Amino acid sequence: MILDWYIVVYVFALVIGLQTIIHHHYHKIRRKTKGYWYSMVTLVSLAVMGTAGVFFGIEQGSFFMYLFRHIQVPLGATMFSLLAFFMASAAYRAFRARTLEATLLLVAAVIVMLGRVPLGYFLTKGLPEGFQIPAITEWILMNPNMAAKRGIMFGVALGMLSTALKVIVGIERGYLGGGK
Amino acid sequence: MILLISLLFSFNQIASATPPTDVRAYDAPNDEGGRVRVTWELSADDTDESISGYEVYRNQTVDGEYEYRGFTGRGTSAYTDDVENTVFYYYRVKVRGKALGNSDFSEPSNAAAATGQLFHTGRTNVLLGLLVFCGMVGFFIVSATKGKELFVRRIAGLQAVEEAVGRATEMGRPILYIPGLSTPADVATIASINILSQIAKKTALYETRLIVPNRNAIVMSIAHEVVKEAHAAVGRPDTFKSGDVFYVTDSQFGYAAAVNGIMVRDKPATNFFLGMFWAESLILAETGASVGAIQIAGTDAVTQLPFFIAACDYTLIGEELYAASAYLSREPKLLGSLKAQDWAKVIVAALMIAGVVFSLFGDRFFVRMFEVQ
């Protein structure tokens, strides 16, 4: 039942959301701020998709679905694929061995990456089983890595409980716009 | 000829498996009702590949035709049946043969009906833990309200908030605040909105522009009111710009693309990524880093934390996100709950060490006390 309420509330919130997005981009266009033509593209896209959905339906084979499949989905996939390049640049910064922690991170990352591909096995297959890279990878993931993750999760669980309690008893009112 | 036919016939006869015995039925414990648990002693033939498993049948009377309910594989001696509450059922089980033939029906079980239980006895330890924690929160809040000075450890990411807002003010550039991509049902989003309230007060005071793009329309509505209230609270209601708190899209990567565009065009001096994030976290944080913004992130999503740590200047790890509101507001009541969190962690750590010690000495009783069904 609460889920049904959420859907009803969400529909009304979506109308307000639409109003804000139109308001935001309309003002950008009117003031001709930097990159205002992106706002024009946004508003035109919104109008086209909205018209297609409302007047021609959203079922399979409709114009709306055509636009969704051939524009929205590839654009989303493009953004997602950019992640690979961002990972490379972030890894470069994180793995620069300037401090002891960064060096440890670099060593652990190299071992784990090698342990996930056949090369790791071939490089160390002559060593005793416990010293082979795949075994060390497994140890890193299941021991120090898992311990750190569980430690964080304990803290998160207590934090969630505490926040929920503060909200229930009304001590925390920031999310209502109130509080000191 | 007759002898030959009778001999052939006798070779084709397959012996039947022995039926299971001691079939019992009872209300499945610790549930909301609607389930009956059936158990039995395995068939004497359940020792090799001679049988496939067990077929379970039920009826509302002992006699009469039993209805087929389900099948469990060889070696299993229990089955949970979906039933109507408070209606009594009898059960019979028979073996489905493989090398052997199907068995006869077992003797019928006792009559059993399902009812819901109000209390889950298998989770008593969770209730006790919860009560202890709530008691601690209450105790520290009362202590703080009475004026007791509470020491709260320094959190670098939160110490930097003032500096980050000041930097944006000096540079005359906006601040970008991302309240995560989740719904208000997520506690991380509530925590993020609480932090937004504190940051909005600071930006309102310094008359710095605060941009809050949202992925969820309800979160947008809440954020809008929170920022508006914050401006009013510091006596600057006129500086609130309604258009700066807006909805973008429900699409995850559509949202990421829009926020990246804002970063590249508006060049915010400070980016806050606080709340729940998924795969878009690194896309946002790396773009923010590329435009030279000081970045403070915080999430309870363990899988996204490494990305934020790599790409942001400061990262609030897990619980620090929940501590932020109290830390920034310095309100005694909120600080009291932080103290309770810290003490709860001390207790959890002590129990873990005790569990390890008991396990090393071969005692499993202590560890089993914390198992949850």
Side-chain angles (χ1 to χ4, degrees), chain A residues 6 10 20-21 24 38 72 79-80 86 89 93 149 154-155 161-163 166 171-172 175 177 180, chain B residues 130 141 183 194 201 222 229 243 246-248 250-251 253 265 283 286 302 319 322 325 337 341 352:
Chain A
Y6 182 84
Y10 189 79
T20 65
I21 197 168
H24 177 80
Y38 291 112
Q72 168 81 15
M79 281 306 292
F80 190 29
F86 284 128
S89 62
R93 265 208 310 280
K149 271 168 83 173
F154 264 119
L161 254 174
S162 171
T163 305
K166 284 184 284 185
I171 297 169
E172 178 73 84
Y175 71 103
K180 281 185 188 172
Chain B
L130 198 65
I141 286 173
T183 66
N194 289 334
K201 281 174 192 164
I222 300 169
E229 284 288 328
F246 56 97
Y247 170 73
V248 178
D250 249 2
S251 158
F253 292 108
R265 284 189 299 275
I283 297 175
E286 273 295 287
V302 181
E319 59 169 330
Y322 299 103
S325 170
S337 69
Q341 272 174 250
M352 279 182 185

Side-chain angles (χ1 to χ4, degrees), chain B residues 267-278:
Chain B
K267 298 224 170 358
T270 304
N271 292 336
F272 289 99
F273 305 109
L274 300 167
M276 186 68 194
F277 291 86
W278 287 277

